[in-house]
Amino acid sequence: MEMVSPITGNSNVTVIQKYLAADLILKWKKAFELDISDELKSVKEIFLCECNESKLRFYLPIEVAGSDKLYKKLSEKYEWYYGEEKWEFDIGADLVQKFSPRSLLEVGSGKGHFLRKIIPSVENALGIEFNQDALVYAKKEKLPIKNLTLGKLIESSSSFDFIASFEVFEHLTEPLTFIQDSLRLLSQNGRMLIAVPNRNSFVKYGEVLLDMPPHHMLTINVDFFKYLANRFNLELEIVKYEPLASYHIDFYLSLLREKIFNNFHSFTVRRGFSLILKIYRKLLSFGFIRSFVRGQTILVVLRKR
């Protein structure tokens, strides 16, 4: 298999890790009680690679990208999957208030939780989505969400002052096309907001299945956005990091525990660390303490010069 970066198109990449598809199937069954065999098709090995130029990490082969069926199963099984209240929605809504765009496009609107927040502030707001359940819901709620692609909007000569995407980019297999199409639709001095899981957050301490195929195909940190700004002559105007969310405390501590236990087999060390974690957990109940821990999401705003 030729290892080619999906953002540069060249083979200047490094293979970070190899995963066996059979292992991922077993782990998903144990963690989520979901069988992802069909999603991974007949692929035997999956590779995590890093583009040496952009620092974007990506999984190959792209055939293992999840289908709409997978997202439907996850959303039906877990209420939090398409959560109505998210840190990035609040930050995004505040930025819309700050910049006052006349037109806004949200890519991957889901059930329109973000659009609801900003519609009163924007003259022309539009969301695009392909999930049929979400589209039915949007029609029922009379939300401006349509089954369109960026390409279709380009064909219709659409233009927007503000383009936002929340937890969408990491699912893509063609990120370069997404960026290029978004920039074609963005007006001069317009702004593009992208919120994604930050691979340098607390998830770096362990293996997170939802940050891997067939769910996520890309893993991102701020270096990638710096690359985008330089390559496309954009201003990296805003970078914000989510503080550790209260609902992620136990997950964060479990990753820390797993990391230490994998490296130290001494009963005394493990017992001592377990006691430290109990104290640390109590401290993390305070928002001020959690603010020092990088939470799941990084949000950036890139301005078109």
Side-chain angles (χ1 to χ4, degrees):
M1 180 194 307
E2 186 179 8
M3 307 295 181
V4 175
S5 166
I7 203 74
T8 65
N10 65 44
S11 57
N12 183 16
V13 304
T14 300
V15 177
I16 303 296
Q17 195 164 347
K18 179 177 75 173
Y19 299 92
L20 295 178
D23 289 344
L24 287 180
I25 291 169
L26 289 174
K27 288 176 180 178
W28 271 71
K29 284 182 179 178
K30 182 178 179 180
F32 308 116
E33 297 180 344
L34 292 176
D35 186 356
I36 60 168
S37 301
D38 290 343
E39 300 290 340
L40 300 186
K41 304 174 178 66
S42 59
V43 171
K44 303 298 182 184
E45 297 177 333
I46 298 169
F47 298 89
L48 172 62
C49 306
E50 180 172 299
C51 172
N52 294 324
E53 293 179 39
S54 68
K55 302 307 176 186
L56 177 71
R57 290 188 179 180
F58 56 95
Y59 289 94
L60 291 175
I62 62 173
E63 288 77 18
V64 299
S67 66
D68 188 34
K69 183 179 176 182
L70 174 69
Y71 302 125
K72 181 178 175 64
K73 287 180 179 178
L74 286 168
S75 63
E76 290 174 346
K77 195 173 182 66
Y78 301 105
E79 291 184 2
W80 48 259
Y81 190 73
Y82 285 128
E84 184 171 350
E85 295 298 328
K86 291 186 176 182
W87 169 84
E88 54 265 38
F89 289 166
D90 291 336
I91 298 297
D94 288 344
L95 291 174
V96 169
Q97 288 283 347
K98 176 181 178 180
F99 296 121
S100 301
R102 294 185 61 186
S103 57
L104 179 146
L105 172 68
E106 184 188 10
V107 183
S109 297
K111 292 186 175 181
H113 299 317
F114 173 69
L115 282 179
R116 285 183 187 276
K117 291 178 179 289
I118 58 87
I119 282 176
S121 307
V122 181
E123 183 179 323
N124 177 27
L126 173 67
I128 59 175
E129 177 62 54
F130 65 84
N131 182 282
Q132 291 302 312
D133 290 341
L135 290 166
V136 170
Y137 178 85
K139 185 176 181 179
K140 178 183 175 183
E141 297 294 316
K142 298 181 180 179
L143 292 169
I145 300 175
K146 298 181 179 180
N147 186 6
L148 293 171
T149 63
L150 294 177
K152 287 293 183 182
L153 290 173
I154 291 171
E155 288 176 10
S156 65
S157 300
S158 298
S159 179
F160 300 91
D161 299 329
F162 201 101
I163 297 177
S165 64
F166 300 92
E167 317 295 336
V168 169
F169 194 80
E170 66 272 18
H171 297 273
L172 303 176
T173 57
E174 297 182 0
L176 179 59
T177 300
F178 179 90
I179 295 297
Q180 290 174 329
D181 287 353
S182 295
L183 292 176
R184 288 190 184 100
L185 290 167
L186 200 60
S187 60
Q188 199 65 31
N189 294 313
R191 293 175 169 88
M192 178 166 57
L193 181 158
I194 302 176
V196 294
N198 176 19
R199 75 164 181 259
N200 288 349
S201 70
F202 70 89
V203 300
K204 66 185 179 182
Y205 294 115
E207 183 178 86
V208 180
L209 288 177
L210 288 178
D211 208 22
M212 302 167 64
H215 191 241
H216 289 176
M217 295 300 291
L218 307 173
T219 72
I220 303 122
N221 64 10
V222 71
D223 291 336
F224 172 67
F225 295 114
K226 292 177 180 177
Y227 165 85
L228 286 183
N230 182 63
R231 175 171 174 180
F232 293 99
N233 191 31
L234 307 171
E235 178 189 354
L236 183 55
E237 190 173 27
I238 293 171
V239 178
K240 288 185 177 291
Y241 296 97
E242 180 184 17
L244 180 69
S246 58
Y247 53 81
H248 278 153
I249 291 175
D250 289 336
F251 184 36
Y252 165 50
L253 294 178
S254 70
L255 293 177
L256 282 179
R257 178 187 175 90
E258 183 180 357
K259 183 175 180 64
I260 292 297
F261 279 33
N262 284 341
N263 288 291
F264 298 95
H265 302 286
S266 164
F267 173 78
T268 303
V269 171
R270 289 184 171 187
R271 183 181 180 186
F273 189 71
S274 295
L275 291 173
I276 292 171
L277 285 182
K278 287 182 180 180
I279 297 171
Y280 189 31
R281 194 190 190 290
K282 291 181 180 179
L283 292 174
L284 289 172
S285 64
F286 299 98
F288 173 73
I289 300 298
R290 291 199 306 277
S291 69
F292 291 98
V293 181
R294 287 276 163 88
Q296 175 178 276
T297 304
I298 178 174
L299 180 151
V300 304
V301 174
L302 295 153
R303 186 177 66 84
K304 186 175 181 180
R305 300 181 194 271

